[in-house]
């Protein structure tokens, strides 16, 4: 069965500094998607970044980038120039969708605090 | 505006009283899912639907039912709610197999006493 692990329940970062959130997953599939979602206190789920497993190039979105290591089944999120608005819960998610099923697994989350 | 709506946003009910949480999307998406979010566990998939009249169990389906009679709607039904179903519930939709981005609803906070 697929699993997603986030080993850091809580992290903190100084404003303007860089922080990396860890995520590992387990799957026997070769074709899947990985995501990082942000959940602020409003509880809204906001997509931060997406990575297709068949792409070797790491995805980037402005200050957010990932380090995707397929063989190691690792998918970490790097936030550069951290801002107060980055404080939130961050979830790593795995999605494997075929014609017969749509499996989505979330990690337990990492709570990120940003220190002014 | 493209969106996923859920109703109600907050609900307090008693054990055994049947309830339905509605979910609707206006993007003509094929795929829809229900999740529950609990502290320390992240979001867990309850049920999903890959098209009208096509639904299947996720990881935690016990105590829940769903239906997909129309493409836009995917209600979650709790026939006999119990306190262990107290949780934050999210509905999500996505366009297709290739377009994998999920759009999430605002969430429904359910308390069963």
């Amino acid at each position: 069965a697929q699993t997603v692990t986030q080993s850091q329940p809580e992290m903190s970062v100084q404003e303007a500094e860089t922080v990396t959130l860890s995520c590992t997953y387990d799957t026997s599939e070769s074709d899947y998607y990985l995501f990082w979602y942000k959940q602020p206190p409003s509880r809204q789920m906001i997509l931060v970044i997406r990575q297709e497993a068949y792409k070797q190039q790491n995805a980037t979105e402005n200050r957010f980038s990932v380090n995707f290591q397929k063989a190691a089944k690792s998918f970490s999120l790097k936030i550069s120039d951290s801002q107060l608005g980055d404080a939130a819960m961050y979830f790593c998610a795995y999605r494997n969708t075929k014609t017969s099923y749509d499996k989505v697994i979330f990690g337990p989350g990492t709570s990120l605090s940003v220190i002014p | 505006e493209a969106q996923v709506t859920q109703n109600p946003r907050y609900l307090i009910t008693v054990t055994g009283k049947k309830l339905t949480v509605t979910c609707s999307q206006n993007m003509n998406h094929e795929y829809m899912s229900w999740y529950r979010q609990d502290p320390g566990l992240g979001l867990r998939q309850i049920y999903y639907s890959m098209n009208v009249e096509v639904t299947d169990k996720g990881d935690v389906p016990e105590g829940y039912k769903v239906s997909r009679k129309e493409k836009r709607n995917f209600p979650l039904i709790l026939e006999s709610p119990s306190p262990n179903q107290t949780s934050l519930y999210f509905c999500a939709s996505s366009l297709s197999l290739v377009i994998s981005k999920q759009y999430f609803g605002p969430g429904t906070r359910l308390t069963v006493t």
Side-chain angles (χ1 to χ4, degrees), chain B residues 70-85:
Chain B
E70 306 167 280
K71 201 169 190 177
R72 63 183 293 126
N73 296 323
F74 190 44
L76 180 69
I77 304 157
L78 285 72
E79 294 269 3
S80 182
S82 62
N84 64 12
Q85 293 178 298

Side-chain angles (χ1 to χ4, degrees), chain B residues 17 25 31 70 82 87 92 98 101 105 109:
Chain B
K17 185 177 182 181
Q25 50 92 4
Y31 291 75
E70 306 167 280
S82 62
S87 188
V98 176
K101 175 183 175 180
R109 171 68 72 183

Side-chain angles (χ1 to χ4, degrees), chain B residues 10 13 27 30 47 62 74 77 79-81 85 89 112:
Chain B
Y10 301 88
T13 189
M27 296 168 280
E30 291 185 356
Y47 269 95
E62 295 77 19
F74 190 44
I77 304 157
E79 294 269 3
S80 182
Q85 293 178 298
Y89 291 87
V112 183

